[in-house]
Every structure is written in C-alpha cells, then in structure tokens.
Amino acid sequence: MDRRSVVKLGLAGLAMGAVRVPAAFAQAKLVLKATDVHPLGYPTVEAVERMGKKLAAATDARISIQMYPSMQLGGEKEMIEQAQVGALQIARISVGPMGPLVPELNVFNLPFVFRDATHAEKVMDGPIGDEMLKKLSDHPTAGLIGLCWMNGGTRNVYNSKHPIKTVEDLKGLKIRMMGNPVFVDTMNSLGGNGVAMGFDQLVNAMQTGVVDGAENNEPSYESGQHYRYAKYYSRTGHLIIPELLVFSKKSWEGLSKEDQALVMRFAKEAQQEQRTLWYEREKASIEILKKAGIEINEVADKKQFQAAVKPVWDKYGAQHAALIERIQGVK
Ligand code: BDP
C-alpha cells in the first residue's frame, strides 16, 4: 500500500469512528469540562475537584478536570443536554431530572422510598446501585455514562408563610419542585401546589412571589441562599434522592480503555469521599441557618404525609414493584 492509500484508509476509518487516535495525539492534554449547580466548596463540587487532582497526578497532568460550578453552564436540564452532545464531559446531577429519561431511576424519586439516609447509602453502594448505573449507561438514547453516586441528603419543605406541621399546612402554598412530573404530583397529593422549574430559576421565583418556597436538603437551602426568602424550614423528609456523577457518552467513546478505567476508579473513590464531606457540610449548614434565625421544625406525624402520597406510588411505582420490593428489602 502506498502512503496515500494508507492516509485515505486512515481518514475513512476516522470518519467511522473506528480508528484509534494516533499515539502522538493520544498524549495530547485532555481537559474534562465538569459542572455542578452548586458553588465551590460544596461537597459534590469538592469531591469532583479532588477527582481531577488525582487524575492529573496519575497521568502526569495529561488528564485534568476544569470545574464550572454555580450553574455557570445553566441548570441541570441544560447540563444534561450539554453532556449528551459532548459539549461538556462530567455533570453532577440529581436523579430527579433523570427519571423521565431512564424509567427505572424514577423509583429513587418516589416519596419516602428510602427509610432514611443510611438505607439510601446501602442501596447506592450495593448491587441495585450498580445495576442502576448500568441501566443508565446502557440506555440507548440517554447519552450518558453513570460513573458513581453521591449523597443528596433528605429533602424538606421550606416556605415564607408558616411552619409545616401537618399536611393541611401545605394547602394553598406554591412550592417549587424539580422538573419531573413525579415531584409535582407528590406536592399536589400533599395538598400544596407543585410548580416545576429549574434550580437556576428558583431564587428569582421566590423573590418575585412566583412561588412561596421549595424543598431541599439543608446544604442546598443554605448555600443557595434560599433561606433568605423562605425562613420556615420543616422536616417533612419526603424525599431522599441520590445524586449522580455522569460522563458524556459521546466523549467517553473517545477515551482509551485505560483512561476510562482511571476515571471510573477515581469516581468510585469520589463517591465515598463526598459522603464524608456531606455530613460535615450538613452540620455546618444547620449552624449557619440557626445563626441566621431560621426556624427549623420537626414534623411529628410523618405517617399522614406518607398516606397522602399513595396515589403517586400507584401511578409511578406499580410498574416497578419488583425493584421497589428489592429496595425495601435492603437492611
Ligand atoms: C439539590 C441537588 C441538585 C438539584 C437541586 C434541585 O444537589 O442536584 O439540582 O437540589 O432542587 O439538592 O434542583
């Protein structure tokens, strides 16, 4: 074969995506663009940044992570879209907006599906967690590789009007929920008015009275400055939603097997590191909230809330009964 045919063949192969990048290019620096809705220092952001440092150390700075925190690239919907087309490589997102894309994941979005945070951790760390990551990675159109899980705490309702102690207290309140029908239905079945919108729109919506409040864990409520607009934080504990670290499938396919394995290895370590950071941050956030004079109230009768969301379980849980049973069986 003369040189020209070799080049031609090579180009054809490249067009088909079949040819591995020549050695000279393989050594080129790879900057993985990562994003998160949360600010620098937040447990998820910190864990991914540490992952980037490890990647750099292990590859002689050939691979690194450039973090875009604080919704610089938009809310989670935008982040998912950008990861799908390969405009960014790593996104740390809640399972919340992933439910409509990968139906099995929506089971994690059911109200009160986990008994407590420890139960959720055991599920993430065990075979169900692995299966769900694989379901996501193998999904024909989701366009994402599931790298690992992260803790997302327990979500509680906050609003600007009054403390929530019973289901009746939610009546008439407009509460922002994540963009997924299961959450709007959850809030509506609890008697409130669920309003779906991105995390990036929430502060403005509270400032302008488009909503009376929202629901989230303490670190998001605190670091997002939401407590400035909605000072009643009530421990409804209606959702415990695991978080995901995902990689753009399009970009993933361009990595060598070795680099994929390296990213995976450090992602698994990030899962455990984030957990430690999470519990520290939860405590720190509660301190900040107390100092700011926020009223945090417990909800004595959770059973009332659990009973009210039965229609949500009937609608979204019925088709995943076997999976739900396995989750409940994790002790
Ligand atoms: C936070 C999650 C983040 C979500 C946000 C939300 O960490 O991924 O975007 O809630 O409510 O707890 O949208």
Side-chain angles (χ1 to χ4, degrees):
M1 226 189 288
D2 64 15
R3 202 174 154 270
R4 266 171 74 193
S5 350
V6 173
V7 170
K8 260 199 213 148
L9 251 181
L11 285 178
L14 264 182
M16 294 186 302
V19 165
R20 291 283 301 278
V21 181
F25 289 121
Q27 292 313 312
K29 284 209 188 316
L30 195 59
V31 180
L32 305 174
K33 196 167 168 185
T35 190
D36 196 311
V37 295
H38 296 301
L40 289 177
Y42 196 92
T44 50
V45 178
E46 178 64 26
V48 172
E49 286 203 311
R50 290 187 188 182
M51 186 179 151
K53 289 197 184 110
K54 287 189 201 171
L55 277 169
T59 61
D60 227 353
R62 181 174 56 82
I63 307 182
S64 60
I65 290 182
Q66 169 75 51
M67 170 60 75
Y68 294 83
S70 304
M71 300 184 272
Q72 285 177 28
L73 306 181
E76 299 207 325
K77 185 175 160 285
E78 291 75 21
M79 290 162 50
I80 293 169
E81 285 164 1
Q82 290 170 70
Q84 285 171 329
V85 297
L88 63 83
Q89 284 66 53
I90 299 178
R92 202 290 311 154
I93 49 176
S94 168
V95 168
M98 289 304 298
L101 293 182
V102 184
E104 289 85 353
L105 280 180
N106 230 7
V107 170
F108 287 175
N109 293 329
L110 283 175
F112 302 108
V113 74
F114 297 111
R115 292 185 298 276
D116 50 31
T118 313
H119 180 208
E121 284 172 7
K122 285 197 179 138
V123 172
M124 287 184 245
D125 289 351
I128 300 178
D130 290 344
E131 279 168 41
M132 291 298 130
L133 289 177
K134 190 165 175 335
K135 276 246 152 59
L136 168 59
S137 307
D138 291 348
H139 192 279
T141 56
L144 301 170
I145 298 291
L147 295 181
C148 69
W149 300 102
M150 292 196 176
N151 276 39
T154 301
R155 296 174 79 103
N156 302 300
V157 174
Y158 45 94
N159 79 97
S160 60
K161 307 285 188 205
H162 50 241
I164 308 298
K165 291 182 179 149
T166 66
V167 167
E168 285 71 44
D169 295 328
L170 280 167
K171 223 182 176 112
L173 292 183
K174 288 173 286 189
I175 304 293
R176 176 269 173 176
M177 306 298 286
M178 281 191 273
N180 177 338
V182 71
F183 301 131
V184 173
D185 285 351
T186 295
M187 185 43 65
N188 293 350
S189 69
L190 288 170
N193 297 326
V195 181
M197 68 174 70
F199 199 59
D200 51 322
Q201 296 171 305
L202 176 54
V203 167
N204 183 261
M206 286 194 289
Q207 281 173 331
T208 55
V210 168
V211 294
D212 301 306
E215 44 79 62
N216 222 315
N217 51 53
E218 293 89 343
S220 295
Y221 175 60
E222 172 266 307
S223 68
Q225 308 293 302
H226 302 172
Y227 67 94
R228 296 186 190 278
Y229 313 99
K231 71 173 181 139
Y232 300 101
Y233 189 87
S234 311
R235 289 199 201 277
T236 48
H238 54 288
L239 286 167
I240 295 176
I241 309 181
E243 313 215 316
L244 275 166
L245 194 64
V246 298
F247 204 99
S248 157
K249 197 181 259 185
K250 204 161 177 223
S251 306
W252 188 253
E253 282 161 359
L255 296 186
S256 68
K257 287 274 168 285
E258 295 73 29
D259 287 348
Q260 288 179 350
L262 208 55
V263 171
M264 254 325 163
R265 185 175 124 210
F266 293 136
K268 299 293 174 204
E269 290 179 15
Q271 173 163 332
Q272 299 305 323
E273 283 174 29
Q274 187 266 353
R275 192 167 289 172
T276 311
L277 295 168
W278 179 260
Y279 287 111
E280 288 166 11
R281 180 61 180 241
E282 238 180 18
K283 277 200 210 109
S285 292
I286 292 170
E287 278 315 304
I288 294 173
L289 296 171
K290 277 191 187 147
K291 282 207 186 98
I294 295 304
E295 290 190 34
I296 299 185
N297 72 279
E298 299 300 327
V299 171
D301 184 14
K302 289 266 186 62
K303 292 229 165 63
Q304 197 201 8
F305 287 77
Q306 286 165 354
V309 297
K310 169 126 192 333
V312 178
W313 276 67
D314 294 343
K315 186 168 168 187
Y316 297 94
Q319 64 270 45
H320 302 297
L323 175 59
I324 293 173
E325 205 173 301
R326 282 178 64 208
I327 292 174
Q328 289 171 335
V330 175
K331 297 286 175 237

